[in-house]
């Protein structure tokens, strides 16, 4: 009744932003990501008849109520599938480099989905683990696989939607340099911010329509290892996502001065012939996607950029790993 799983964070190159079905947590747009090493979450799940309620410890502390509720919702699905009643003890540790300030919900819910399934004695395919992780956090559906991974837009009511693998981790030796531009919690989480975009941003409909073509183009550029095709599309995807959020009411602005400086630095490097492009998630940090041979130059340039307090380098990593 016990199992442990390890999963990694991922970075979307074609962004997901907005839902087509809130209850089932289905994305309104297709997305494509890279699974990242060494941004790892390790989660163990123990079902125990003696427990009165689920207990969730995150990085050594009892989790906050909202997080605990999402964990229990996922565990309830596993209990229903396995015909189990027992409550569970969940211990989760983010092995992220310190001060990274990076989102861990994708690696966290992917690891939880896999560990809970195994601990409950289920023998489920990766698609089932991915669909269950998706209901907790859509980006988590992608962290079930390593390498390049896509999550298609959800058709309202289609609860089976899972991510799908596009290419394995060794398909293309890209690196991701993260430029840390702020500390502390971000102003608003992705779930609330994307709901606001849908209800109040005049650009939301255009965003959803534009992703239909943009995400498959990004997927194809990755399959073809075509950096010249990839770079402008990756930047268009994140700029468009942030533009939608900024144009909402109230407007959502994740950028700090250091974010803007880092973006300019990356674009200058590209203009100088370096194979690098920028992306940002729902937070202030900037991620530079670059060819392996450019990684030292990109890291040095970003470390020397005003407003960037730290940098870290990630490579493309494997999917979820489960131990009994
Ligand atoms: O899955 P969530 O609710 O953490 O949302 C993730 C949204 C972005 O990180 C901004 C984009 C993405 O596709 O990962």
């Amino acid at each position: 009744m016990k199992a442990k799983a390890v999963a990694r964070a991922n970075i979307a190159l074609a962004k997901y932003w907005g839902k087509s079905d809130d209850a089932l947590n289905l994305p309104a747009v297709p997305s494509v990501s890279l699974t990242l090493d060494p941004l790892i979450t390790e989660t163990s799940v123990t079902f125990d008849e003696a427990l009165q309620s689920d207990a969730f410890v995150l990085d050594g502390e009892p989790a906050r109520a909202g997080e605990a509720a999402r964990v229990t919702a996922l565990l309830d699905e596993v209990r229903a599938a396995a015909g189990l009643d027992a409550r569970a003890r969940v211990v989760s540790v983010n092995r992220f480099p310190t001060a990274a300030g990076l989102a861990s919900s994708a690696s966290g819910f992917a690891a939880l989905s896999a560990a809970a399934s195994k601990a409950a004695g289920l023998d489920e395919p990766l698609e089932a683990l991915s669909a269950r992780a998706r209901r907790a956090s859509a980006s988590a559906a992608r962290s079930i696989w390593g390498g390049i991974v896509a999550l298609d837009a959800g058709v309202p009511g289609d609860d089976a939607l899972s991510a799908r693998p596009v290419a394995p981790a060794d398909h293309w030796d890209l690196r991701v340099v993260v430029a840390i531009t702020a500390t502390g919690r971000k102003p608003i989480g992705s779930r609330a911010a994307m709901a606001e975009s849908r209800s109040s941003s005049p650009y939301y409909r255009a965003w959803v329509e534009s992703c239909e073509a943009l995400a498959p183009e990004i997927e194809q550029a990755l399959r073809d290892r075509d950096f010249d095709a990839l770079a402008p599309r990756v930047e268009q995807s994140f700029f468009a996502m942030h533009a939608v959020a900024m144009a909402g009411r109230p407007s959502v602005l994740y950028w700090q001065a250091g974010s803007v400086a880092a973006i300019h630095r990356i674009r200058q490097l590209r203009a100088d012939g370096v194979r690098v492009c920028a992306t940002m998630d729902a937070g202030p940090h900037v991620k530079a996607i670059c060819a392996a041979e450019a990684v030292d130059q990109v890291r040095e340039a970003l470390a020397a950029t005003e407003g960037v307090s730290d940098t870290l380098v990630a490579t493309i990593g494997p999917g979820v790993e489960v131990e009994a």
Side-chain angles (χ1 to χ4, degrees):
M1 294 270 95
K2 177 167 182 174
K4 190 164 131 185
V6 164
R8 289 158 185 80
N10 69 75
I11 177 78
L13 302 190
K15 297 296 180 191
Y16 143 59
W17 194 253
K19 300 182 198 299
S20 62
D21 183 326
D22 289 308
L24 299 182
N25 202 37
L26 293 168
V29 300
S31 57
V32 183
S33 62
L34 309 176
T35 302
L36 298 179
D37 232 1
L39 308 180
I40 287 173
T41 300
E42 222 176 82
T43 299
S44 71
V45 175
T46 312
F47 287 102
D48 184 345
E49 299 286 355
L51 289 171
Q52 301 293 310
S53 59
D54 293 325
F56 175 34
V57 175
L58 177 58
D59 288 332
E61 312 263 340
R64 293 178 302 157
E67 285 162 347
R70 285 166 81 184
V71 167
T72 288
L74 190 153
L75 293 170
D76 283 343
E77 287 184 28
V78 173
R79 280 187 281 258
L84 256 182
D85 257 347
R87 304 291 105 186
R89 191 176 308 107
V90 177
V91 179
S92 194
V93 181
N94 289 317
R95 305 233 177 267
F96 285 24
T98 45
L102 294 163
S104 54
S105 69
S107 50
F109 283 111
L112 177 67
S113 178
S117 170
K118 180 83 177 175
L122 296 171
D123 182 19
E124 296 178 298
L126 294 177
E127 284 75 12
L129 303 181
S130 174
R132 186 176 303 122
R134 186 213 80 232
R135 284 174 216 120
S137 169
S139 58
R142 300 186 307 240
S143 279
I144 294 293
W145 281 277
I148 302 165
V149 187
L151 176 63
D152 295 325
V155 177
D158 175 17
D159 199 21
L161 180 74
S162 69
R164 58 181 167 83
V166 172
D170 63 1
H171 173 75
W172 192 6
D173 192 7
L174 292 173
R175 304 295 163 91
V176 179
V177 181
V178 183
I180 308 295
T181 60
T183 52
R185 296 193 82 81
K186 54 194 183 189
I188 174 170
S190 54
R191 184 172 289 237
M194 61 178 82
E196 224 167 75
S197 292
R198 184 168 72 171
S199 65
S200 67
S201 177
Y203 304 147
Y204 183 76
R205 194 181 296 262
W207 155 254
V208 172
E209 281 169 16
S210 70
C211 290
E212 264 173 51
L214 187 57
E217 285 172 16
I218 289 172
E219 186 177 327
Q220 195 57 47
L222 286 162
R223 285 182 193 277
D224 297 344
R225 301 185 196 87
D226 182 347
F227 205 91
D228 292 339
L230 184 71
R233 289 172 174 82
V234 167
E235 292 192 351
Q236 184 177 25
S237 177
F238 98 85
F239 277 127
M241 174 203 126
H242 282 264
V244 171
M246 284 182 206
R249 194 162 62 220
S251 61
V252 173
L253 179 62
Y254 288 111
W255 300 13
Q256 296 292 333
S259 324
V260 180
I263 293 167
H264 281 298
R265 194 70 194 88
I266 288 165
R267 296 176 73 133
Q268 186 57 53
L269 284 169
R270 192 158 79 254
D272 294 342
V274 179
R275 294 203 295 164
V276 61
C277 64
T279 189
M280 287 175 75
D281 285 326
H285 311 309
V286 175
K287 287 97 172 183
I289 316 299
C290 68
E293 80 271 358
V295 69
D296 291 338
Q297 188 183 359
V298 169
R299 188 177 197 171
E300 276 163 34
L302 288 172
T305 299
E306 202 173 337
V308 174
S309 59
D310 202 359
T311 58
L312 66 98
V313 175
T315 59
I316 305 183
V320 72
E321 294 157 333
V322 190
E323 297 164 23

